[in-house]
Amino acid sequence: MLHLRLIVPAARTDDVVRLVESTVGTAHLVVLPGAARDPAGDVVMCDVAREAGDELIRGLRALDLDRTGSIAVEDIDLSLSRRADRAETEAPGEGADAVLWEGLAEATHEESTLSVTYVAFIALATMIAACGVVLDNAILIVGAMAVGPEFGPLAGICTAVVERRPRLALRSAVALLVGFAAALLLTVGFAYLMDGLGLFTRVQLEAERPNTNFIYRPDAFSFVVAVLAGIAGILSLTSAKSGALVGVAISVTTVPAAANAAVAFTYTEYRQAWGSAEQLLLNLLGIALAGTVTLLAQKWLWRKAA
């Protein structure tokens, strides 16, 4: 179930109440006249089954409530109510399959915005991966994958394509490109520093590295895994199962590939650098394509079910 808290101009309260009452899957309607101060108006609260949430939110936006008032939505972790159980039963479809498109757009907006924190995370993840490739340490590679925040902009691009939001697409692309460019530059500097301290050496990079040489040797499986990870990542976002994102993050070699490219460039190992760049591009392309197709499929299936 979802809980909606609405601030409604007094002149539109009746319209909002009628909309809530006519939406299948709603429960626990509460109206507090004159309770809101900024903006001034009435407060309307209700619970709605997740599978009916997108329809209700679209209706509220059609009433311009997002401009004249406020729409706040939060997940309900526990609801002990027969009325709520009945509302979920009446709502069409399954809550686990429902996509809150407004919520998805908002989530990807936050995750795909270029910020100091975002750049810091992707740079730190790339530096950790650089240590992993030089030491041929798979544990460090996995740790770097988990730290990397690059799935946010990729999900933003997928959402922007499906929802036709050019601003979100531009913001996500900028975050992705600038983030990786900054991470590469900082990791090159980090590699020079570690080399100066005697902690990185050309011999380590040129060694066989059985645990990490796949990073600069892309093959068909690189793209296949990226596609599967892209599908899983989008499903985890749309079904609110964010825990699965960790598994997605450590499935693809985006950050490690960028790290290996930076270290290889530092030592003028251009063959490795190019192979790592190919690995990076294959993973980014696979995730973006799979994520977009997954969202399109979800939208089509949900419309067909409704």
Side-chain angles (χ1 to χ4, degrees):
M1 293 290 286
L2 303 172
H3 178 69
L4 273 65
R5 187 188 72 250
L6 314 172
I7 297 179
V8 186
R12 305 306 301 267
T13 300
D14 290 342
D15 295 332
V16 169
V17 170
R18 279 195 294 269
L19 174 63
V20 172
E21 290 178 332
S22 63
T23 300
V24 176
T26 58
H28 310 146
L29 176 62
V30 176
V31 180
L32 303 175
R37 293 293 181 267
D38 183 20
D42 303 332
V43 174
V44 177
M45 295 181 288
C46 70
D47 296 338
V48 60
R50 183 179 178 85
E51 52 268 42
D54 194 59
E55 176 187 354
L56 179 56
I57 293 171
R58 283 202 310 269
L60 293 171
R61 294 197 67 184
L63 294 173
D64 287 332
L65 196 59
D66 54 325
R67 299 178 182 177
T68 60
S70 170
I71 304 172
V73 184
E74 59 183 343
D75 284 300
I76 299 176
D77 294 327
L78 176 64
S79 178
L80 303 178
S81 165
R82 290 185 177 180
R83 180 66 190 89
D85 293 341
R86 188 163 66 251
E88 289 187 316
T89 301
E90 293 171 351
E94 293 292 334
D97 297 331
V99 179
L100 289 176
W101 293 101
E102 291 299 330
L104 179 62
E106 184 64 26
T108 52
H109 176 279
E110 292 183 6
E111 295 295 327
S112 62
T113 300
L114 184 64
S115 64
V116 174
T117 302
Y118 171 82
V119 173
F121 268 114
I122 197 168
L124 289 169
T126 308
M127 292 179 194
I128 294 171
C131 295
V133 298
V134 172
L135 297 175
D136 193 32
N137 189 315
I139 294 176
L140 292 178
I141 295 296
V142 172
M145 290 175 175
V147 173
E150 72 279 5
F151 188 80
L154 287 168
I157 291 172
C158 299
T159 304
V161 171
V162 174
E163 290 289 280
R164 299 178 183 178
R165 300 189 180 215
R167 290 186 179 180
L168 177 58
L170 179 61
R171 182 185 302 111
S172 301
V174 168
L176 195 65
L177 295 175
V178 174
F180 269 113
L184 284 165
L185 288 173
L186 290 171
T187 304
V188 168
F190 175 72
Y192 276 121
L193 173 63
M194 295 294 280
D195 180 75
L197 295 173
L199 298 175
F200 282 7
T201 65
R202 178 185 291 272
V203 173
Q204 289 174 302
L205 183 69
E206 293 177 344
E208 182 57 27
R209 291 162 47 199
N211 293 321
T212 58
N213 59 25
F214 68 93
I215 292 172
Y216 60 88
R217 294 176 179 173
D219 55 23
F221 280 105
S222 301
F223 188 75
V224 170
V225 171
V227 167
L228 297 176
I231 296 171
I234 291 297
L235 288 176
S236 69
L237 284 178
T238 56
S239 64
K241 295 186 181 298
S242 58
L245 280 177
V246 177
V248 171
I250 62 176
S251 298
V252 290
T253 52
T254 47
V255 164
N260 200 84
V263 176
F265 181 83
T266 302
Y267 287 109
T268 65
E269 282 288 332
Y270 299 125
R271 181 183 60 83
Q272 279 199 38
W274 177 249
S276 300
E278 286 185 7
Q279 182 78 268
L280 175 60
L281 292 174
L282 273 176
N283 278 271
L284 295 177
L285 179 62
I287 293 172
L289 286 176
T292 301
V293 172
T294 300
L295 285 176
L296 287 171
Q298 285 181 291
K299 176 171 281 192
W300 180 79
L301 289 171
W302 186 255
R303 285 178 177 174
K304 188 175 181 180

